[in-house]
Amino acid sequence: QVQLVESGGGLVQAGGSLRLSCVGSGGTFSWYVLGWFRQAQGKEREFVAANTWTAGSTYYADSVKGRFTISRDNSKNTVYLQMNSLKEEDTAVYYCAAVLRQPDWTYSDYVGSHRYDYWGQGTPVTVSS
């Protein structure tokens, strides 16, 4: 059973930066697709970014492309989300998610929250004007 714990959320002014971390346990980290999702108050959970098990393969939502960067350190069982140029609309609870690697997945699979088996508890991010 994989367990995920996020950290790094907080309050930041628009234009600022935050780095979220998610530490995993209970599995061989390198075998997993790792994703970040977010859920704003009153809205559905949405895809933010994913890092596949294939080195260097990443996917981003259009709304964060060029501003957010997902990366992973398998030696530390950690996935990161570097968030720059934050906007008020980035305010949400951010969740880390994982699923065993899926060689035949396409972009439409990676962005689907229902595809992921393991979830962290979430870390809140508030961007103020």
Side-chain angles (χ1 to χ4, degrees):
Q1 184 76 8
V2 172
Q3 295 183 328
L4 303 169
V5 179
E6 303 97 332
S7 62
L11 174 64
V12 64
Q13 285 193 326
S17 299
L18 278 177
R19 188 176 81 156
L20 307 183
S21 300
C22 173
V23 179
S25 61
T28 303
F29 211 60
S30 60
W31 292 0
Y32 288 83
V33 172
L34 302 169
W36 286 97
F37 290 77
R38 66 186 181 186
Q39 187 166 18
Q41 195 169 5
K43 295 188 177 180
E44 292 186 355
R45 191 169 297 188
E46 65 174 1
F47 170 77
V48 175
N51 185 297
T52 76
W53 58 276
T54 303
S57 295
T58 57
Y59 297 95
Y60 295 95
D62 287 342
S63 58
V64 306
K65 202 172 292 184
R67 300 188 297 122
F68 291 10
T69 302
I70 186 171
S71 61
R72 66 195 292 165
D73 185 338
N74 289 331
S75 68
K76 297 181 179 179
N77 280 10
T78 302
V79 59
Y80 304 97
L81 186 68
Q82 177 67 44
M83 304 186 296
N84 298 329
S85 303
L86 283 161
K87 306 175 181 180
E88 286 185 75
E89 52 263 43
D90 295 319
T91 295
V93 178
Y94 283 71
Y95 297 90
C96 165
V99 62
L100 273 174
R101 59 191 182 188
Q102 306 288 337
D104 56 346
W105 272 16
T106 63
Y107 177 80
S108 61
D109 295 303
Y110 288 108
V111 304
S113 60
H114 63 287
R115 291 294 199 176
Y116 292 77
D117 293 325
Y118 306 101
W119 291 85
Q121 82 289 348
T123 184
V125 171
T126 302
V127 184
S128 64
S129 59

